[in-house]
Amino acid sequence: MAAYSRGHTGRVKDFKDFEWVVWRLEVQDPSQLAGEDPDLDERTQETMTELAASLGCAYDHCVDYDSYDDETPYYAWWVRLPAAEHARLDKDGLPLAIGPLRQYLTTQLPDGLKWEITPDRELTYDHAGSVAMRAAYDDLIAPFERALIPLRVDGADALDPRAKVWKWEENLLVGTFDLWLCNDPDHPHTWIVVTVGLWAEPQLFGEAPAARLGHFDFTPHHPLLFLPRPSAPATFTARITSGSFPRTGTSRTKAADAIGTAHQWTANDPDVLAERVARDIKLLWPHLTGPERS
C-alpha cells in the first residue's frame, strides 16, 4: 500500500497518499429534535452498509448518544472512501459518493439540523496503520483466525478481529491484534478477548522496539505488534484475561470477592501457538464447542 509499505512507517502529509480516506458525516441537534433516544445507529446500519457498498465505499460505524462539552448532542456516521472516490468531487467540493449517503440520512432526521461533513484525519491514519500492521503480521494473525473464529459465540462472530495501532512514535508504530471470543462468565457486560503479538519487554539496548516506548508506556510481556517489524527470531505470545482486576493505581478490586484470571501462551512458531491456544480454550470454556453453543 502507498501509505504504509513495509519498512516505511512515517506519517504521510496528504490524503492523496492514502488508499482509503475516512469521512465523517455529523449532525448537531442542540434542541434534541430527534428525541432523547433516537436509536439512529441500529436504524440506519443496514441501509448505510448497503448504500455505501453500492457506491464502492465501506460503512464503518455510527455514534448517536454523545455530546460536546457544552452538552450539545450530535450524531455522526463514518464511511471509508477509496482514493478514487475521495478524489471525485461535486460542485461543493465534497466527494460524489457522500451525496447519496447524506440524502438518505436526512430522511431519518428531523429538518433544521446543522450538518458538518469532513474527512477524519485520525481515523484515516488509524485505518492505514492497522491495515499495514495486519499485512506485516499475516503469518501470526492468519493461524489464529483459522483456529479461533469457528469457536466464537454470544455475538462475538459479528465483531471483526482487529489489528489496531495504539501508539505512534517517530518511525515506529505499536499496536495489538484482538479477537473477540465470547461473553465473560465472570465479568458481566465484558468480552473475553484473545490478544496476540510479540513477547515484549524493556531492554537495556536500543535495538529492541520495546526499549523505545519508555518504562510507563506499556506492560511488559503484553502482546504487542511493531512496525517496522523486528528482525527474526521472535517469540510470539497470546493472552486472555477474565474476571475483575484492580484498576491502574489501586491494589484492590472494587468487589471484595472478585476473582480475575489471566492465561498466556508463548511459542516461536505462530502455527504451534495458535493450535495450543485453541486446544486450551476448548478446555477452559467448553461451551464454545458443546451442545449449548449458540
Side-chain angles (χ1 to χ4, degrees):
M1 59 191 299
Y4 289 92
S5 60
R6 295 190 187 190
H8 177 80
T9 57
R11 292 201 184 195
V12 296
K13 303 300 183 183
D14 197 297
F15 282 121
K16 66 179 174 55
D17 295 314
F18 288 89
E19 291 184 3
W20 292 84
V21 179
V22 179
W23 278 76
R24 171 188 174 114
L25 295 85
E26 179 188 306
V27 177
Q28 298 177 25
D29 187 7
S31 300
Q32 289 190 290
L33 299 178
E36 293 187 3
D37 185 17
D39 195 27
L40 290 165
D41 181 10
E42 184 173 346
R43 179 149 50 94
T44 63
Q45 181 177 10
E46 182 176 355
T47 300
M48 284 291 286
T49 300
E50 294 175 354
L51 181 56
S54 72
L55 297 166
C57 307
Y59 174 64
D60 272 355
H61 69 286
C62 167
V63 170
D64 60 1
Y65 53 82
D66 214 340
S67 62
Y68 287 105
D69 290 340
D70 63 0
E71 299 186 355
T72 298
Y74 69 86
Y75 324 117
W77 293 261
W78 284 264
V79 181
R80 283 184 284 118
L81 275 61
E85 291 301 328
H86 171 75
R88 295 177 63 234
L89 306 180
D90 62 18
K91 60 181 178 62
D92 296 320
L94 294 176
L96 288 171
I98 293 294
L101 297 170
R102 175 178 175 174
Q103 185 176 3
Y104 162 68
L105 292 174
T106 58
T107 67
Q108 305 300 305
L109 294 163
D111 296 332
L113 301 183
K114 178 182 177 182
W115 283 86
E116 181 176 350
I117 303 175
T118 181
D120 191 311
R121 180 172 295 272
E122 181 178 352
L123 290 185
T124 298
Y125 279 125
D126 179 79
H127 179 262
S130 294
V131 168
M133 191 77 79
R134 184 184 184 93
Y137 287 92
D138 183 68
D139 61 323
L140 172 63
I141 291 172
F144 273 88
E145 289 186 322
R146 288 194 298 267
L148 300 185
I149 281 181
L151 302 180
R152 301 191 300 168
V153 298
D154 302 330
D157 53 317
L159 302 173
D160 291 333
R162 179 181 64 183
K164 171 71 174 177
V165 175
W166 292 106
K167 187 174 181 63
W168 298 79
E169 293 283 341
E170 186 68 25
N171 297 319
L172 176 68
L173 306 186
V174 186
T176 60
F177 176 75
D178 303 306
L179 190 150
W180 285 258
L181 193 63
C182 62
N183 289 331
D184 188 342
D186 297 320
H187 200 184
H189 311 298
T190 303
W191 291 106
I192 288 180
V193 180
V194 184
T195 301
V196 183
L198 300 175
W199 177 270
E201 57 184 313
Q203 300 287 335
L204 297 176
F205 305 101
E207 68 269 14
R212 297 165 57 182
L213 296 182
H215 180 66
F216 298 103
D217 288 329
F218 81 107
T219 302
H221 308 154
H222 186 84
L224 292 176
L225 303 177
F226 301 96
L227 278 183
R229 179 170 170 168
S231 58
T235 296
F236 301 101
T237 184
R239 181 177 175 87
I240 296 175
T241 59
S242 174
S244 181
F245 284 83
R247 296 180 179 273
T248 302
T250 69
S251 59
R252 301 178 67 86
T253 60
K254 288 186 176 180
D257 59 348
I259 296 178
T261 61
H263 309 276
Q264 189 153 0
W265 301 258
T266 64
N268 296 330
D269 185 320
D271 292 285
V272 171
L273 182 61
E275 181 180 351
R276 176 59 185 270
V277 171
R279 188 189 76 183
D280 289 353
I281 281 175
K282 294 173 186 177
L283 297 174
L284 290 166
W285 294 282
H287 75 284
L288 300 183
T289 56
E292 67 275 24
R293 174 182 168 84
S294 58

